[in-house]
Amino acid sequence: MKKTPEQKREKEIARLTREKNKPKFPGYLIYFVMIITVIYIADEVATQIGTQMQSVIASQIFAPVVGKDVAVARMSAISTVSMLFSVVAFIYKPLSDRYGRRVFLVVNTLGMGVGLTFISLATNIPVYLLGAAFIAFFIPHDMQAVYIQECAPAKHRGKMYFIIKSLSTVGMLLIPLLRKAFIPSTDLSGWRFVYIIPACVAFISVVIALFCIRESDVFIDNRLNYLTGEHTADKNKDAQIQGSLLNGIKFVFRHRQLRVLYIAGGFLMFGMLITSYYESIMTYGFAQQFVAAGLDIESAKLEANAYVTQALMLFSIGSAIFQMLPSLTIDRLGRKPTAIFTCCTMLVAYLAFYFGSGNGIAPSIVGFCCGAAVGSYWANGDIIGLMAAESAPTNLRVSVTTSYSIISGVIYAVAMLTVMILANILGDAKIGLVCLVTIVPGMTLGLVLLCLKVKETKGMDLTNVDTQALDAPQEQTVNS
């Protein structure tokens, strides 16, 4: 017999109560950090592997079909098809505000492993796109980040997040190590192993998460309050809203803090262009010295492959260091000053690796600077995400942070389409310059909006977010 809504509610209350009453064994926080870090490593590898293998995949799968001179540009354009699955993911992700964080942590990691497996088996563009679609659907959710935000002590929230993130970034060393092991010199035939081994890491992470991670206490308490009707006593009507993408978007547009934060975030997202093209930028940069020596561009790119692999060895180190740096200031000085710092380091590091790769600078230095640029960008994005999470109530936190990708993504789409069009017209070799002239004005405008119009959120109590104080005139201060 079909259960009534009341029976379903009572069943969920009983399940959450049992989960809440489970005792935490001594040292659980340390154990939790270790597990989340492993899962974060799987996520970081799945996120970065497409870029770090960009020119290799383009030459092996796309070049025979679309031509060598524009293989990367055509690959980027065709791969936008897979990004449609990211749009569908925006509907899926907010469900964790209703059904919990744990199940989505497991499913997302499993999906990334499946996507990596499909790409490792790909011999044509459709199969590659299928794998890319899986990854595009499952990597944007960052449920491990939500776990950290809700489980870390408030006064150490930012610090703990960036330390875990930087440690997981070191795990990206797996990609260049696999490149070196399976793509020696100018032979690219072993590229599939670079994908299948991280897929195995993702599957192992699924097993660990399934049996060793418990539900977020913040989510359990908030959900129980909702189910038992205690939220009705709350003067804040936002506490009564069920999590969903539509409700998240409505919440953002009703609240000035989040509305302006997401507009600023959209312009700051222009820096994502670096994360999409850095491997190709380095490849063409290192290839210039071989072209100058008399080789044709395709032969020069093959020779440059060893340089790129060497550079990527230092990439994860540079990225990890510059994602660790915000942990020193974000809980002490605040979110906004740290965001300014990460933007500045990103632009300086980008100029260093862009010009360095084409002017004979050692690959290790170029790779470190490249990692510093990418790490600074992701740190900046994480700060915006943290400020959004600290500006939203628990029952809508994931719904609100999911809407960030839509609202800010509309603004970022201008930059993405600009680079895509110009790269297809000018060719792959000009991608670095096109990115540069697009990123600088966009991020400058984003920083101005962030500094002048967005409230600081340092020290916010996530169990009782004061949205009215955040939306108040700028001269009023946020409770800390």
Side-chain angles (χ1 to χ4, degrees):
M1 186 173 61
K2 188 176 181 180
K3 293 183 179 179
T4 65
E6 180 63 24
Q7 288 175 323
K8 291 180 180 179
R9 186 178 71 86
E10 292 298 330
K11 183 178 179 181
E12 185 176 359
I13 291 174
R15 178 180 62 82
L16 291 172
T17 302
R18 286 195 303 271
E19 182 76 13
K20 181 179 180 178
N21 292 333
K22 286 181 181 177
K24 290 182 180 178
F25 52 82
Y28 174 78
L29 184 61
I30 297 175
Y31 184 66
F32 164 81
V33 168
M34 293 173 62
I35 297 172
I36 287 293
T37 301
V38 172
I39 294 170
Y40 229 137
I41 289 174
D43 180 270
E44 287 294 303
V45 170
T47 301
Q48 295 294 327
I49 194 169
T51 305
Q52 296 199 10
M53 292 289 288
Q54 189 175 65
S55 64
V56 176
I57 297 294
S59 67
Q60 295 296 291
I61 296 180
F62 285 82
V65 180
V66 302
K68 298 177 179 179
D69 294 339
V70 291
V72 173
R74 296 288 192 274
M75 176 181 172
S76 297
I78 295 173
S79 294
T80 56
V81 174
S82 66
M83 298 309 295
L84 295 175
F85 289 84
S86 294
V87 178
V88 180
F90 298 147
I91 301 173
Y92 156 84
K93 182 178 178 180
L95 294 175
S96 65
D97 277 335
R98 183 171 182 177
Y99 297 106
R101 317 311 195 197
R102 181 173 172 271
V103 63
F104 288 89
L105 183 73
V106 172
V107 173
N108 295 343
T109 309
L110 178 62
M112 288 186 284
V114 171
L116 291 170
T117 301
F118 273 120
I119 294 178
S120 72
L121 300 174
T123 57
N124 53 55
I125 293 176
V127 176
Y128 168 81
L129 291 177
L130 179 62
F134 264 85
I135 293 175
F137 183 88
F138 287 108
I139 64 171
H141 308 297
D142 287 339
M143 199 54 59
Q144 65 277 6
V146 178
Y147 255 104
I148 298 169
Q149 292 163 2
E150 293 187 344
C151 295
K155 64 179 180 179
H156 299 302
R157 186 182 301 129
K159 183 190 303 180
M160 186 171 171
Y161 174 81
F162 281 102
I163 289 175
I164 293 175
K165 182 69 180 291
S166 62
L167 290 174
S168 66
T169 301
V170 176
M172 289 193 304
L173 266 173
L174 181 65
I175 304 173
L177 288 173
L178 292 173
R179 280 182 61 124
K180 186 174 182 179
F182 297 107
I183 313 179
S185 187
T186 57
D187 180 11
L188 306 181
S189 61
W191 68 268
R192 300 178 189 281
F193 292 100
V194 182
Y195 276 86
I196 194 62
I197 293 177
C200 293
V201 173
F203 294 140
I204 293 172
S205 299
V206 167
V207 176
I208 295 174
L210 187 61
F211 292 101
C212 302
I213 289 287
R214 54 181 287 156
E215 186 57 81
S216 157
D217 290 337
V218 172
F219 169 81
I220 292 175
D221 291 338
N222 182 268
R223 185 65 181 168
L224 283 173
N225 286 342
Y226 179 86
L227 293 171
T228 57
E230 292 184 20
H231 68 282
T232 57
D234 199 321
K235 295 180 181 180
N236 184 2
K237 294 182 179 180
D238 292 327
Q240 305 175 32
I241 303 173
Q242 280 271 32
S244 72
L245 178 61
L246 181 59
N247 286 337
I249 294 174
K250 289 179 180 178
F251 185 88
V252 171
F253 282 104
R254 284 204 311 271
H255 293 275
R256 177 183 177 277
Q257 165 81 356
L258 284 163
R259 187 170 61 248
V260 179
L261 178 64
Y262 281 15
I263 294 172
F267 288 105
L268 291 173
M269 280 179 71
F270 280 30
M272 189 183 294
L273 294 169
I274 295 176
T275 72
S276 300
Y277 293 106
Y278 63 82
E279 192 264 0
S280 294
I281 293 171
M282 286 195 293
T283 297
Y284 277 94
F286 288 131
Q288 290 181 24
Q289 59 187 293
F290 298 106
V291 171
L295 292 180
D296 63 89
I297 186 61
E298 289 306 314
S299 298
K301 284 165 58 181
L302 285 173
E303 292 292 339
N305 177 65
Y307 284 67
V308 173
T309 299
Q310 184 179 346
L312 291 177
M313 290 291 185
L314 272 295
F315 171 89
S316 60
I317 302 300
S319 185
I321 290 175
F322 279 80
Q323 287 187 70
M324 175 78 79
L325 290 179
S327 69
L328 304 177
T329 61
I330 193 166
D331 288 324
R332 180 179 299 179
L333 301 181
R335 287 33 171 160
K336 290 167 64 173
T338 308
I340 296 171
F341 170 75
T342 54
C343 282
C344 293
T345 57
M346 192 209 75
L347 291 173
V348 171
Y350 177 71
L351 291 172
F353 100 78
Y354 170 58
F355 289 108
S357 61
N359 289 279
I361 303 300
S364 56
I365 296 177
V366 171
F368 182 86
C369 292
C370 179
V374 173
S376 295
Y377 168 74
W378 287 121
N380 184 265
D382 290 336
I383 293 169
I384 301 300
L386 181 59
M387 293 182 74
E390 292 175 333
S391 302
T394 301
N395 57 299
L396 287 169
R397 183 161 296 125
V398 176
S399 302
V400 165
T401 54
T402 300
S403 67
Y404 170 65
S405 300
I406 297 177
I407 299 170
S408 301
V410 171
I411 300 173
Y412 169 68
V414 175
M416 183 178 67
L417 291 173
T418 299
V419 171
M420 189 180 300
I421 292 170
L422 292 177
N424 276 277
I425 294 173
L426 302 176
D428 294 347
K430 299 296 183 182
I431 288 177
L433 180 61
V434 171
C435 287
L436 178 64
V437 299
T438 305
I439 289 169
V440 174
M443 295 200 71
T444 300
L445 179 57
L447 268 181
V448 171
L449 287 173
L450 181 69
C451 293
L452 299 182
K453 300 295 184 179
V454 178
K455 287 276 191 80
E456 179 62 68
T457 61
K458 181 183 70 171
M460 186 66 68
D461 180 7
L462 291 190
T463 63
N464 186 27
V465 175
D466 191 343
T467 54
Q468 292 182 347
L470 288 169
D471 289 337
Q474 186 73 3
E475 59 268 16
Q476 295 185 26
T477 58
V478 176
N479 294 332
S480 59

